[in-house]
Amino acid sequence: MTSQHEEVVATTTPDTVRNYVGGGWTTIDGETHPVVDPATVEDLAEITYTSADDVDAAVGTAHEAFEEWRRTPPVERSQYLFDLKGELEARADDIAEALSREHGKTVGEARGEVRRGIENVEVAAGIPNMLREGSGIVEDVASGMDESAVRQPLGVFAAVVPFNFPAMIPLWFLPYAVATGNTFILKPSERVPLSSQLIFEAVDAVDFPDGVVNLVNGGKETVTALLEHEDIEGISFVGSSSVARHVYETAATSGKRVQAQGGAKNYAVVTESAVLDRAVPNVLGSVYGNAGQRCLANDVVVGVGDVYDDLRERLVEGAEDLTVGVGLDEETDIGPVITPESRDRIDEMVDEAVAEGAELVLDERDFEHPEYPEGNFMGPVLLEGVTSEMAIAQEEIFGPVLCLASTDDLEGAIEMVNATDYGNASTIYTERGGEARQYRYEVDAGNIGVNVGVCAPMGFFHFGGRKASFFGDLHAQGEDAIDFYTEKTIEIERWFS
Ligand code: NAD
């Protein structure tokens, strides 16, 4: 393992994070909090949390903009999205750099993230056609009587998003909400608000009508104000399961639509027929990429039968070769984790697993960056002998830790996979169709990978998630997004003259 840190220039002049409300940038009064670079621990900017009064003003603006926006023909609304795509493309490298700096992820991962975000703008730009799904007319449901269904927008929607994909996740929601004729408010994670500033520079350049697309920054109080506001029709949430459950319950109590994506505990199962040359790099990317801070990371890997020894050897070798460093350095494989508290939490989870009987095969937790010794770095960890009874087999790690387990057969592996409270994603590495089918059929998770370690759905499919990984029924992206953001109104008509 080496450390790479050349040519990384940290921002030294903190900027002020701004809100974007009613078609313009606004600053708000209140206590400021630093936005900290997790690698250099320098302050990148300062952020003020939006108060309930300021949330009320933003909702008022979005509410006012709704009536005219819903009357804007879908073909015209889609033109705004084509323009937004262009403006985002023009800023893609800047957004990737900002998010690598604020989050710590490698710049390569950041570029991929921006691409996946823009993909949703592209999908939503097809809105005129998408609105036809679930609408239509049937003549003569009774004599001389016709019945039709049309999709209609509802009003103001808000999205509350997590720290781990600061550019992509806002774009799971924003394009679909406005394409369908609603107005929209984004609340980014207070830990990584900078890439949203650049996304909203793109929004500003597109010149949406005032109040259609808005940004409020803040933490828990800002979210509470959004959840309780009577003029918000629906909330999209992505974050940890405990907060997802709270958001789901609170928003539902105040009569809102809600889709709340929670945390995860994802397993990969490697069978004897797997092509290890291809599977092993894929497993390593899934677990250690984004420093493990990924809701699709397969942080427990189960080797079935005789594959275990070879698999273990290759994974250890691969993990040892990973480079820990600053995300903006092209050579880095593992950037810092988001906060010192996060690093301590991961550290404790590993200690607890060892106390419960797991064995530490690789332990680079005490990695210290030569230039940034205060940074939240943590090198790769690999544990073996992990069993379902251990906390580390049940709880989300969200750090660069791979847990190895073994079973005699596929049935035993599936039992381990299904023993968790979560159901976000799971992967099988196999070359046998029957095993893959059995896995898809029996594993209780919303996104299943076959030889794919990070099974992130394209924008034109919904993003799955079950059990404690999802609260609601309509998911993000694709057709589910159109259903979430529209009401299907029935009209039954007949004419007497
Ligand atoms: P988090 O739950 O701490 O925060 C998410 C958002 O909720 C932030 O905007 C935050 O300001 C707000 N928030 C935090 N506490 C709150 C409270 N008590 N009341 C109201 N709002 C609150 O999550 P995080 O640490 O930013 O993100 C990591 C989590 O997100 C992980 O559990 C990860 O698995 C999950 N995640 C899930 C998916 C998915 O698709 N299921 C995708 C990405 C991340």
Side-chain angles (χ1 to χ4, degrees), residues 160-165 168-169 172 187-191 218-221 223-224 227 237-244 246-247 260-264 293-296 338 396 398 422 424 447 463-465 469-470:
V160 175
V161 296
F163 83 85
N164 65 329
F165 284 93
M168 177 180 74
I169 294 183
W172 283 356
K187 205 297 285 173
S189 165
E190 62 276 35
R191 288 182 264 177
K220 185 181 167 191
E221 295 72 18
V223 178
T224 302
L227 291 178
F237 174 87
V238 183
S240 53
S241 288
S242 58
V243 183
H246 161 73
V247 165
Q261 298 179 222
Q293 300 167 120
R294 178 144 68 192
C295 68
L296 295 173
I338 190 72
E396 185 169 39
F398 238 52
Y422 297 95
N424 214 34
N447 304 292
F463 191 108
S469 297
F470 183 70

Side-chain angles (χ1 to χ4, degrees), residues 35-51:
V35 178
V36 182
D37 182 327
T40 65
V41 296
E42 286 175 277
D43 290 357
L44 294 172
E46 55 185 30
I47 180 171
T48 307
Y49 298 168
T50 308
S51 66

Side-chain angles (χ1 to χ4, degrees), residues 32 79 83 117 143 160 163 231 243 254-255 286 332 348 371 390 422 428 457 468 475 486 494:
T32 59
Q79 293 306 318
D83 290 349
S143 182
V160 175
F163 83 85
D231 284 337
V243 183
S254 63
S286 172
T332 296
E348 278 167 28
E371 200 173 339
M390 297 177 185
Y422 297 95
I428 183 167
H475 296 259
T486 57
R494 66 180 168 197

